Amino acid sequence: IAFLFIETSLIIMLWIQIKKRRQAEIKTRKSEERYTLAVRGSTDGLWDWKTLSGEVFYSDRFKELIGYSPDEFPGTFDSFRDHLHPEDLDATLKAIEQHHQERVPYDVEYRLRTKRGEYKWFRARGQAIWDEHGKVLRMAGSIQDINERKQMGKKSQSLRDELNHMSRVLSMGEIAASLAHEINQPLTAIRSYAQAAQRLLARDTPDLHEVDKILTGIVTGNRRAEAVIQRIRMLMKNEQSERSLIDVKTFIKEVASLLRKNIEEHNISLRLELDANLPQVFGDRVQLQQVVLNLILNGLEAINAGGDGLRELVVRASKDAVDVVTISVQDSGIGIHEENKDRIFDAFFSTKSQGMGMGLSISRSIIEEHGGRLWVTQNPVQGATFSFTVPIHKEDLI
Ligand code: ADP
């Protein structure tokens, strides 16, 4: 009986084992089916790299994304490497290395050469499998076609650059008068110095010491004129964003001096209230100056549209929060209708007969790109105040 019992329990154990194995098999098959379905259904291309042998499985979709048929594109790491854009090669290899060594998530963007020879943008993500010694056995992942997004991004960036440039050039028209005045001053000085020198030299015994002083005056005048021209050049340049640490006071004062003549001519007083000990901000000086310039010119137009009353512009800069500097331009103009409050930041929205409606929209995009905010508030008595924030450099946070 004991024997029979042992035999029965053996059979039962065996049966349980077989059943377990079968269940496991079904499970694997199911997950394999699911995997195959996922591979087929996904619009992403999939890859599975046996790092030890260098063999790589590339899904048909992977090959299709770069223009190859299923029997083309050899299953090796080298074929991937050979199709990478030379400029993306180093960064991609480094990302793989960092994922393997430090387990930093692998998520990169690179260009692959298609069969036709052109490059397309992809986003690749993947995950390695390590053995118990930390050695990489396998790495698998996907590539996603992001070519369209990349192209769009490029287009909107260049459109923005163009608009930005255009608005700089447009504002140039408005400040040309004040610049002409600024250049005229040193030129007039140079002419009178030169005439004085001519008079001196016409004497029988010219005082060379006096002539020398006059020549020094000419050189100084020349330098001043050059500095103004340099500022014009800077505003006209259509260059890419260039960020650095900048001194808030200096960049605001530069804009103010550029516009001073213009503002005075309109019988408006411009007051600067810049806090002492302002930290530097991190940004593109020309772009930030462009924003302040737009806000001041808008304020000036709003005051001119308002008729009589207070004619005052106040530019303030203060550090109200830990990590930002707030700059505001307050005017005593006509203010903003409640119903327009949100629309004024839209591109091409303008209530002016000659308005382009681009100033505020460009300004807002510049500030947002700097990681700040631009908003407007109605003044209690008269006019509007536009304020924006610019993050201070990380170094200031430490
Ligand atoms: P534009 O000045 O060419 O109209 P903006 O984008 O700079 O373009 O301004 C859009 C609109 O916002 C203006 O037409 C005006 O109605 C309103 N606006 C801007 N600044 C002020 C301001 N300081 N006071 C009152 N309204 C303003």
Side-chain angles (χ1 to χ4, degrees), residues 94-104 128 130 134 136:
K94 195 166 164 219
I96 294 175
E97 170 92 14
Q98 278 184 332
H99 179 61
H100 288 184
Q101 304 298 331
E102 296 153 40
R103 310 204 178 186
V104 179
W130 294 266
V136 178

Side-chain angles (χ1 to χ4, degrees), residues 241-293:
S241 173
E242 226 176 71
R243 298 200 180 170
S244 60
L245 272 177
I246 45 182
D247 184 52
V248 180
K249 270 191 196 170
T250 317
F251 94 71
I252 292 180
K253 279 183 185 160
E254 276 179 3
V255 181
S257 77
L258 213 61
L259 291 172
R260 183 139 265 143
K261 181 80 191 345
N262 218 331
I263 292 169
E264 276 166 10
E265 261 172 12
H266 287 99
N267 212 8
I268 294 170
S269 81
L270 171 68
R271 205 168 70 233
L272 302 184
E273 287 183 15
L274 314 173
D275 277 4
N277 301 325
L278 278 175
Q280 290 182 307
V281 292
F282 192 64
D284 180 322
R285 189 168 53 90
V286 179
Q287 285 186 348
L288 293 178
Q289 286 187 322
Q290 175 68 30
V291 173
V292 176
L293 192 117

Side-chain angles (χ1 to χ4, degrees), residues 9 20 24 32 107 112 207 304 330 339 347 364 373 393:
S9 46
K20 263 196 194 152
E32 261 169 20
D107 187 343
L112 286 179
D207 182 346
N304 280 342
Q330 178 194 312
E339 77 245 33
R364 184 173 256 183
R373 278 190 328 117
H393 192 237

Side-chain angles (χ1 to χ4, degrees), residues 298-299 301-302 331 334-336 344 349-352 355-361 384 386:
N298 272 346
E301 286 171 352
D331 65 58
I334 45 169
I336 290 152
I344 55 171
F349 175 81
S350 179
T351 54
K352 301 168 193 167
M356 274 272 293
M358 287 310 294
L360 287 178
S361 123
F386 284 83

